[in-house]
Amino acid sequence: RHGEWANKEARQVAIDSKVVLTDEVLKGVKSSIVNERYVEADSNAREEYSGISRFVSVPIVEDDRVVAVVGVADKNDLYTDTDILNMELLFNAAWSKIASKRGEEDSRRERRVFESMLMSLNDGIIATDEYGRIIHMNYMAEKLTGWRRSEAEGLAVDDVFVAYIDQAGDRLAISPTGVVKKSIATDLPQDVILRTGRTPEIYIGGKVTPGLSSDGTDTGMVLTFHDITFERKRQRELENMSYRDPLTDLYNRRFFEERIEYEMTRSIRHNESLSLILFDIDRFKNINDTWGHPVGDEVLKQITDVAKRTVREVDLLVRFGGEEFLILMPHTDLRGAIVAAEKLRKVFESTNIPAIGVVTASFGVAEYNRKENFTGWYRRLDAAMYKAKNEGRNKVAINEED
């Protein structure tokens, strides 16, 4: 088996087209380093194999025979004997534990953990038995969770790996039963926050893989995870740029349309009220025509500042388009939304904008009806706002259906 593996590697990586690195390791049962030499993909190799400049191979030895070879390539600095020593200690120690006094079933499960280690050197790794009790944690898992391995072994995985879905706030539940049922590696959901109480909260990515029993069937699970907080923050920054109105810095229509379905679902799930306020600046076209668009832009920014200071922190203020603005109000019924709209209307009415004077707005209010979709809800809201316009502007109105 090992000879076949070496021949396969020989076709993939060659040095100066003559020396095969993994072949050296297998024959000599010793580690090997190549620094600052171009390693060229063999002409018979598949296209995805590319050239490398530095390479280290370390044998994993059991009973005086090589059972595996670990290869690492393209370190920024030169590889040294210290790198070899660290790798030999790490991987041979892990393999020795596998072959120690455990039964065959535990051995197979630990081998799955070892394979995960090879593929995820910078990942936290937690392995459980079929009951979800932790049987193994690596150093990175200790660092990310704040739990020492000696504390965690034997505990339920949910006691140590405490994670939540960011937007929904729901606890992420992972059980060996569900993992084994799928029988394949499954990626963790997006926007998962690790919140153990022992370390700062971080966003994590990773996957869950079934463990392996003595008869080859899946049992237990292997959880691998890593810190993606920096990447998630960067992604949020880019999303924020696409979700913000550049003039007012309010969330835009695109963001609102992605958010509203979640809020409607949440309202139904928790049996909570949800309302919307739509307001439109009165006679805004006259402002642009009389004083020009730069002054019109300044009015939009002034109106935004006043609205920000007036709405609650839990409310979502959105520039929906042109001179139209939306306020999404969770935990608020129709009566509460009417009171909030009237309060904002009076603030606008009493605010003097330099060079313009007082600028008013007309308001429509509608509470979410759980039997309708957003299109129907917005239709009622828009009709209410135009009702306020038609009744003389600077008013708060609801639709006749309400």
Side-chain angles (χ1 to χ4, degrees):
R1 190 179 101 187
H2 299 306
E4 292 175 359
W5 185 84
N7 288 336
K8 179 182 177 182
E9 291 297 304
R11 290 194 300 271
Q12 295 174 5
V13 181
I15 302 173
D16 297 335
S17 301
K18 295 180 181 179
V19 181
V20 177
L21 198 59
T22 50
D23 193 45
E24 282 187 345
V25 173
L26 288 169
K27 289 180 179 179
V29 193
K30 65 180 181 179
S31 301
S32 182
I33 294 179
V34 170
N35 277 319
E36 304 300 346
R37 295 177 65 186
Y38 182 67
V39 182
E40 185 180 67
D42 186 82
S43 59
N44 294 321
R46 297 197 305 268
E47 292 182 0
E48 60 262 34
Y49 296 109
S50 58
I52 57 177
S53 59
R54 303 180 186 87
F55 195 88
V56 175
S57 279
V58 175
I60 307 302
V61 181
E62 182 180 37
D63 296 330
D64 296 324
R65 66 187 182 90
V66 177
V67 294
V69 175
V70 180
V72 178
D74 278 350
K75 178 183 175 184
N76 290 334
D77 300 322
L78 299 180
Y79 287 107
T80 66
D81 290 338
T82 301
D83 294 311
I84 285 183
L85 178 61
N86 288 335
M87 291 176 66
E88 288 177 346
L89 288 173
L90 172 63
F91 292 113
N92 280 287
W95 197 273
S96 294
K97 181 178 178 181
I98 294 169
S100 63
K101 298 179 181 179
R102 297 179 181 269
E104 182 64 20
E105 182 168 332
D106 286 344
S107 176
R108 287 177 178 270
R109 186 184 293 113
E110 290 286 354
R111 286 173 190 267
R112 181 69 66 87
V113 175
F114 182 79
E115 291 170 3
S116 298
M117 289 175 64
L118 296 184
M119 300 303 294
S120 310
L121 296 179
N122 293 320
D123 283 14
I125 301 174
I126 298 177
T128 78
D129 60 17
E130 60 270 33
Y131 303 107
R133 295 176 302 211
I134 295 175
I135 60 174
H136 176 80
M137 283 179 70
N138 69 348
Y139 167 75
M140 188 57 68
E142 291 182 321
K143 183 177 179 181
L144 294 176
T145 64
W147 283 80
R148 292 194 300 272
R149 177 178 172 180
S150 58
E151 297 177 294
E153 286 186 342
L155 296 179
V157 66
D158 285 341
D159 293 336
V160 175
F161 184 80
V162 183
Y164 293 83
I165 307 296
D166 184 18
Q167 286 285 346
D170 297 331
R171 177 76 182 269
L172 177 66
I174 302 175
S175 70
T177 303
V179 174
V180 170
K181 187 175 182 180
K182 293 181 179 178
S183 194
I184 57 172
T186 304
D187 291 333
L188 293 179
Q190 290 187 341
D191 293 334
V192 172
I193 295 179
L194 187 65
R195 186 182 297 157
T196 67
R198 296 188 172 206
T199 54
E201 293 182 4
I202 57 171
Y203 283 93
I204 58 171
K207 62 179 56 182
V208 187
T209 306
L212 197 64
S213 67
S214 57
D215 60 2
T217 59
D218 295 328
T219 182
M221 62 182 179
V222 179
L223 171 65
T224 61
F225 57 101
H226 53 279
D227 186 354
I228 60 169
T229 304
F230 175 81
E231 293 86 345
R232 190 65 188 94
K233 285 184 176 179
R234 179 58 181 158
Q235 182 183 355
R236 284 273 177 91
E237 290 173 359
L238 295 175
E239 288 176 351
N240 196 44
M241 292 173 62
S242 65
Y243 288 148
R244 292 280 184 178
D245 171 53
L247 178 65
T248 63
D249 198 37
L250 293 177
Y251 283 114
N252 59 20
R253 183 170 186 155
R254 176 186 175 188
F255 176 84
F256 176 82
E257 289 178 344
E258 292 184 12
R259 177 70 177 270
I260 190 61
E261 293 297 332
Y262 163 77
E263 293 292 345
M264 292 164 65
T265 301
R266 186 176 184 276
S267 172
I268 295 172
R269 183 191 306 136
H270 298 287
N271 193 28
E272 294 175 346
S273 299
L274 182 65
S275 293
L276 276 172
I277 297 173
L278 173 67
F279 68 89
D280 181 274
I281 300 174
D282 292 332
R283 299 184 174 88
F284 186 73
K285 184 178 183 302
N286 292 342
I287 295 174
N288 279 333
D289 292 345
T290 304
W291 285 281
H293 288 280
V295 174
D297 288 347
E298 186 61 31
V299 169
L300 290 172
K301 290 191 285 186
Q302 292 283 341
I303 288 292
T304 296
D305 290 341
V306 172
K308 281 182 177 179
R309 294 195 300 266
T310 307
V311 301
R312 305 172 304 178
E313 287 189 9
V314 296
D315 298 333
L316 177 65
L317 178 62
V318 175
R319 185 182 179 194
F320 202 57
E323 64 271 26
E324 283 190 349
F325 295 79
L326 273 173
I327 305 173
L328 177 64
M329 305 187 71
H331 319 293
T332 307
D333 60 12
L334 180 63
R335 184 181 298 273
I338 291 173
V339 170
E342 184 62 30
K343 177 183 177 181
L344 185 56
R345 186 195 67 78
K346 290 179 179 179
V347 173
F348 287 159
E349 189 180 47
S350 61
T351 300
N352 186 68
I353 296 178
I356 300 295
V358 173
V359 174
T360 63
S362 299
F363 294 77
V365 181
E367 183 178 358
Y368 174 47
N369 179 343
R370 294 167 190 173
K371 295 180 180 179
E372 65 186 347
N373 56 21
F374 175 69
T375 301
W377 186 13
Y378 183 78
R379 180 186 58 77
R380 293 190 293 114
L381 184 70
D382 191 54
M385 190 269 291
Y386 276 101
K387 180 182 177 184
K389 291 277 190 187
N390 294 332
E391 290 180 354
R393 299 184 176 88
N394 190 25
K395 293 182 182 297
V396 174
I398 62 174
N399 186 258
E400 294 297 334
E401 298 177 25
D402 296 321

